[in-house]
Amino acid sequence: MTVDGLARRHGQVLVFDADDTLWENNVVFERVIDDFLAWLDHPTLDRVEIRAILDDIERANAVAHGYGSKVFLRSLGDCLERLRERPATEAERLQIDRLAVALVEHRVELMPGVAEALDELAGRHTLLLLTKGEQEEQQRKLDACGLLHHFQAAHIVREKDVDTYRWLAREHGFDPAGAWMIGNSPKSDILPARAAGMNAVFIPNENTWVLEHDELDPTDRGVLRLAAFPDLLSHF
């Protein structure tokens, strides 16, 4: 059966990513990184080279410490220390904290059409929310978003891998083959969901974190590609 054929049925389980799918998130981190790179003003390395170093540090810290603003600030400090070849001074630590104020003060800004689309989808399907990150930080976003009443359940997990999606199916008693994971990240939303037997909807976001990038199989008919969130209403 084709993707469209599956998608026309009512009463399906739709699992939604949160950051950069329901609301903007990584664009705020990118602004802080831009300010950080400008402040560093390294004498020999350009911004692209420094960003590559920071990406490597973030990748390692994500594995060791998870995700969220606190780990991000740690990565900025680690990057500074690697480039300066010495521990960061108290003044430098304070400057990094000042640069990252926007992360703490950032309000949840919904993607266009999200609230209206969820309101309609919730009348036809079972909606679940699955987000990864630091528990307290993600919960703050969930509490502030004004969307939780649409979802049967919302889960905050450390990582979104194949085992997470298999656990989700067991936890809620649904058949993965009849469920859909909807998100912007090939690495965390699409590929592991497909490996767990679910269908997936890929909604690209130009600000998706570089560490969430990955290649998708263009021939995979279990992946529906949409340009914007409201386009879900034409399929579900």
Side-chain angles (χ1 to χ4, degrees), residues 100-165:
V101 165
L103 297 176
V104 178
E105 296 182 345
H106 176 57
R107 297 180 180 179
V108 173
E109 300 176 14
L110 298 182
M111 297 289 192
V114 161
E116 297 81 0
L118 287 179
D119 188 54
E120 188 170 334
L121 291 170
R124 299 197 292 265
H125 304 286
T126 297
L127 309 189
L128 301 173
L129 191 149
L130 183 68
T131 181
K132 73 176 183 180
E134 195 275 326
Q135 178 75 31
E136 183 177 342
E137 183 173 355
Q138 293 304 100
Q139 189 63 55
R140 179 189 63 79
K141 296 177 191 176
L142 296 183
D143 292 340
C145 72
L147 301 174
L148 284 183
H149 63 285
H150 294 303
F151 297 96
Q152 184 181 93
H155 298 284
I156 301 170
V157 296
R158 178 180 172 85
E159 189 60 82
K160 289 159 74 173
D161 52 21
V162 178
D163 288 340
T164 301
Y165 289 99

Side-chain angles (χ1 to χ4, degrees), residues 15 25 27 55 69 77 83 88 103 106 115 145 155 163 168 180 183 204 218:
V15 184
N25 180 67
V27 65
D55 287 345
S69 297
L83 294 173
L103 297 176
H106 176 57
C145 72
H155 298 284
D163 288 340
L168 189 70
W180 294 78

Side-chain angles (χ1 to χ4, degrees), residues 14-131:
L14 308 182
V15 184
F16 290 84
D17 170 50
D19 291 339
D20 295 317
T21 297
L22 301 182
W23 54 72
E24 292 283 10
N25 180 67
N26 195 57
V27 65
V28 185
F29 287 81
E30 289 296 330
R31 291 169 189 158
V32 175
I33 291 173
D34 284 344
D35 291 341
F36 175 74
L37 296 178
W39 170 63
L40 277 178
D41 191 28
H42 197 276
T44 59
L45 299 178
D46 62 26
R47 292 170 69 95
V48 173
E49 292 170 314
I50 297 174
R51 181 59 190 266
I53 292 171
L54 177 60
D55 287 345
D56 286 341
I57 291 171
E58 285 197 277
R59 187 175 291 106
N61 279 341
V63 173
H65 306 292
Y67 303 91
S69 297
K70 292 179 181 178
V71 179
F72 175 67
L73 291 179
R74 180 186 187 124
S75 295
L76 294 183
D78 290 349
C79 184
L80 182 143
E81 292 183 348
R82 183 179 298 185
L83 294 173
R84 298 281 195 259
E85 298 183 335
R86 58 165 174 76
T89 66
E90 183 64 23
E92 288 168 336
R93 290 286 182 185
L94 288 174
Q95 178 60 24
I96 290 174
D97 288 343
R98 282 193 288 269
L99 289 172
V101 165
L103 297 176
V104 178
E105 296 182 345
H106 176 57
R107 297 180 180 179
V108 173
E109 300 176 14
L110 298 182
M111 297 289 192
V114 161
E116 297 81 0
L118 287 179
D119 188 54
E120 188 170 334
L121 291 170
R124 299 197 292 265
H125 304 286
T126 297
L127 309 189
L128 301 173
L129 191 149
L130 183 68
T131 181

